[in-house]
Amino acid sequence: MKKRVEIAQLLAQPPVGESVTVSGWVRAFRANRFIALNDGSGMKNIQVVVDYENLEEDILKNINFHSCISVTGQLVASQGSGQNVEILAESIEILGGSNPEEYPLQPKRQTMEFLREKAHLRMRTNTFSAVFRIRHALAFAIHKFYNDRKFYYLHTPIVTGSDAEGAGEMFRVTTLPADNPPKTDDGDINWKEDFFEKATNLTVSGQLQAEIGALALGKVYTFGPTFRAENSNTSRHLAEFWMIEPEVAFNDYEANMDLAEDFSKYLINYVLEHYRDDLEFLDKRIKDLERNMKKEDRREMGLIETLEFVVADDFARITYTEAINLLKNSKPYKKGRFEYQVEWGKDLQAEHERWLVEKKFKKPVIVRDYPKDIKAFYMRLNDDDNTVAAMDVLFPGIGEVIGGSQREERLDVLKKRMADMDIPEEELWWYLDLRKFGGAPHSGFGLGFERMILFVTGMANIRDVVPFPRTPGSAEF
Ligand code: 4AD
Ligand code: MG
């Protein structure tokens, strides 16, 4: 094979006049003459001009939507508008033909639901390749953000023996036979005979182990897959999603909120700066989709405008109690339009979060000091004895993207909270040890990776920002 050059590189520094070879998938073939070719290296296609009279019949017949071809020809300044350079094809090799009658995708706009069923092919579309390039960009930016600030990346276990966090229903990990598991005398499953000699699950969060890291290395973060078996069939929930959990010794909850805000803005800025082409495509895609919508259904701002707006201004910061008061004075509350109750002591639902963010403050909002009864045992009890030093960061169009807290470092207070919540001390003996021996105030949070990607790409459903979504009833690919 001739040495190929990647299309992104070719377009960045076009060697006009030279002979070049590019390989990629056909995004469009107009008038039997103009091929839009893309190899995934960037949003922009290269235009290939073919003189079809000189092409053999069976080559021409194989240049179809998403066929894979390799083209050699001279790179010239383009005659047409829409591109600066194009390749005058001298030879075309079909690397992988594609029969248009059988190929599941058509060169037209497809529904997201349909494309989800074709997750092995959807990445070849403009929309999904842009989304997955941005997913990569965010992953890279996350490591860069923490590395630049001297955090250590800590790998916490995926298989866990503790079910204490209570963040969600867990998936069991076992090698016991499903049809006839060994039983104890009481008739329960005998987990002592299982692989780990105890009951184990897939983790819902790496936080408790990250705390171990923070109390030794000072500043750590995790970035790994987490699993929740809730039957939440929403556009914001996955059964398998990725979470980033920084944990910092000596940070109080103010510093924790500052870190969450800086981190969020850094990620958005990184994509604005380095992935402009992809963002512009996604921005235009949304505007095209909204063209036929009623005005009130359209977004108030375009995608890029929203991202720039969010990084330009401070996030709002309010207490949970203030949030409840604002909600009780809101129009939808007074008109009975909220589906869920607004009541001090009840958790905020997505509809409440979105009203705060989209109607009241019109920017991200950090809500803090939640009632202790609706939050996890490890969150630090405030002096009022009623609320904890928790914080959630809420984003426009999505709701909660980050959840975190200052952790309870006082052994007696922690033990009391665990007892109140029926969490056995034996299960978390090591967690309690951290408070007994060299404990320190510390704080952290978890950012839902896919929810941040949703925000940055403007996609509507979380299943469309993860390559292979795992949701109730669905684990194909
Ligand atoms: O608020 P959560 O449950 O917090 C924790 O797990 C803490 N241990 C984090 C910490 O303090 N270190 O989850 C954190 C974030 C949520 O804000 C949300 O963005 C995301 O994870 N998340 C989900 N994303 C997709 N699908 C789901 N089922 C999710 N559940 C939570
Ligand atoms: Mg939460």
Side-chain angles (χ1 to χ4, degrees):
M1 244 196 267
K2 293 203 191 81
K3 189 165 164 22
R4 78 169 179 117
V5 50
E6 289 190 6
I7 292 169
Q9 191 202 326
L10 196 70
L11 294 174
Q13 288 160 332
V16 175
E18 285 179 26
S19 173
V20 295
T21 298
V22 293
S23 301
W25 293 268
V26 174
R27 288 281 163 93
F29 188 19
R30 280 188 300 118
N32 268 356
R33 192 164 159 74
F34 302 104
I35 300 171
L37 198 69
N38 192 288
D39 62 3
S41 57
M43 188 68 235
K44 292 206 175 93
N45 304 321
I46 183 92
Q47 172 153 287
V48 176
V49 185
V50 298
D51 191 350
Y52 69 94
E53 280 172 13
N54 292 338
L55 274 185
E56 288 168 34
E57 188 68 15
D58 63 327
I59 288 194
L60 193 60
K61 157 171 120 236
N62 265 309
I63 303 176
N64 294 309
F65 186 53
H66 290 179
S67 303
C68 188
I69 65 174
S70 187
V71 179
T72 300
Q74 201 188 19
L75 189 74
V76 297
S78 176
Q79 306 293 308
S81 63
Q83 64 279 320
N84 296 328
V85 290
E86 59 196 16
I87 297 174
L88 299 179
E90 281 145 24
S91 71
I92 295 183
E93 187 186 345
I94 306 290
L95 300 179
S98 180
N99 179 344
E101 265 88 66
E102 286 174 28
Y103 189 54
L105 304 191
Q106 296 298 312
K108 59 166 195 189
R109 199 181 278 289
Q110 320 262 5
T111 67
M112 291 291 123
E113 290 77 9
F114 175 79
L115 288 170
R116 240 169 261 152
E117 289 168 15
K118 312 281 180 246
H120 60 311
L121 303 171
R122 69 176 179 170
M123 251 183 248
R124 296 178 186 178
T125 65
N126 286 327
T127 300
F128 284 96
S129 43
V131 166
F132 291 117
R133 274 191 295 268
I134 290 176
R135 185 179 169 109
H136 159 80
L138 286 167
F140 176 76
I142 285 160
H143 287 300
K144 181 158 168 51
F145 177 86
Y146 287 115
N147 185 64
D148 287 353
R149 284 156 189 76
K150 310 269 187 255
F151 281 62
Y152 299 106
Y153 179 25
L154 190 74
H155 295 97
T156 50
I158 291 168
V159 174
T160 169
S162 81
D163 176 18
E165 165 138 15
E169 290 297 310
M170 302 182 97
F171 289 99
R172 177 79 70 202
V173 175
T174 178
T175 55
L176 294 179
D179 49 355
N180 187 22
K183 298 274 174 70
T184 63
D185 294 342
D186 299 338
D188 300 328
I189 293 179
N190 188 1
W191 298 111
K192 286 219 164 59
E193 289 192 32
D194 204 350
F195 187 91
F196 296 107
E197 298 180 12
K198 66 188 292 193
T200 50
N201 296 290
L202 293 178
T203 188
V204 295
S205 153
Q207 177 200 321
L208 303 189
Q209 293 90 346
E211 289 186 49
I212 297 176
L215 294 179
L217 301 173
K219 296 182 296 200
V220 299
Y221 69 105
T222 73
F223 184 177
T226 47
F227 306 85
R228 298 193 185 176
E230 297 141 300
N231 215 340
S232 311
N233 239 321
T234 79
S235 58
R236 305 283 176 267
H237 288 89
L238 291 165
E240 176 181 307
F241 63 100
W242 287 63
M243 216 202 287
I244 298 91
E245 296 182 276
E247 192 69 36
V248 186
F250 318 115
N251 262 8
D252 64 8
Y253 77 126
E254 291 282 348
N256 201 36
M257 289 190 281
D258 293 344
L259 181 66
E261 183 167 339
D262 289 349
F263 179 40
S264 307
K265 288 179 174 168
Y266 180 91
L267 297 183
I268 296 165
N269 268 325
Y270 185 87
V271 178
L272 277 169
E273 230 173 88
H274 299 279
Y275 284 75
R276 200 74 188 187
D277 289 348
D278 292 296
L279 282 182
E280 277 168 10
F281 174 83
L282 293 169
D283 191 320
K284 181 170 177 304
R285 168 184 176 272
I286 295 167
K287 288 186 178 127
D288 289 346
L289 282 173
E290 289 185 344
R291 197 148 291 146
N292 299 323
M293 287 185 189
K294 281 183 279 176
K295 187 156 185 295
E296 61 265 30
D297 293 337
R298 291 187 210 151
R299 302 179 187 218
E300 277 171 38
M301 284 189 243
L303 176 64
I304 292 179
E305 206 184 343
T306 306
L307 300 179
E308 285 173 342
F309 178 79
V310 161
V311 294
D313 199 4
D314 288 344
F315 293 3
R317 295 186 186 192
I318 58 172
T319 64
Y320 166 89
T321 304
E322 284 162 351
I324 293 292
N325 291 338
L326 289 170
L327 285 161
K328 287 206 159 178
N329 284 313
S330 71
K331 234 192 242 169
Y333 178 82
K334 289 182 177 156
K335 294 196 169 164
R337 293 224 189 95
F338 285 135
E339 190 182 332
Y340 294 91
Q341 234 185 330
V342 178
E343 196 58 51
W344 201 97
K346 291 238 149 58
D347 213 354
L348 299 179
Q349 300 295 325
E351 57 178 356
H352 309 136
E353 296 177 342
R354 293 189 58 176
W355 179 83
L356 287 168
V357 172
E358 288 157 38
K359 301 289 181 219
K360 178 69 196 167
F361 291 99
K362 297 186 185 292
K363 59 180 179 179
V365 178
I366 307 184
V367 182
R368 60 187 168 85
D369 301 326
Y370 283 80
K372 65 176 181 194
D373 292 337
I374 56 172
K375 288 291 184 187
F377 74 94
Y378 51 71
M379 297 188 176
R380 194 176 194 279
L381 191 63
N382 288 330
D383 291 343
D384 63 12
D385 249 9
N386 238 343
T387 59
V388 286
M391 60 117 187
D392 278 359
V393 185
L394 316 178
F395 268 71
I398 297 172
E400 182 189 337
V401 172
I402 290 177
S405 68
Q406 183 167 344
R407 320 306 187 188
E408 186 56 78
E409 82 281 12
R410 297 162 296 186
L411 184 63
D412 51 331
V413 184
L414 182 63
K415 279 185 166 178
K416 178 157 187 319
R417 285 274 284 152
M418 287 172 64
D420 290 348
M421 295 171 89
D422 286 328
I423 297 168
E425 287 186 18
E426 311 81 78
E427 228 185 276
L428 285 177
W429 60 272
W430 48 272
Y431 193 74
L432 293 167
D433 264 10
L434 295 178
R435 277 75 184 161
K436 265 190 234 162
F437 309 112
H442 60 287
S443 302
F445 59 80
L447 174 124
F449 188 44
E450 284 79 10
R451 293 203 185 165
M452 181 53 90
I453 306 171
L454 264 185
F455 179 69
V456 173
T457 59
M459 297 296 282
N461 194 308
I462 199 162
R463 295 161 203 222
D464 299 328
V465 299
V466 61
F468 309 106
R470 267 78 183 103
T471 52
S474 170
E476 193 66 54
F477 306 103

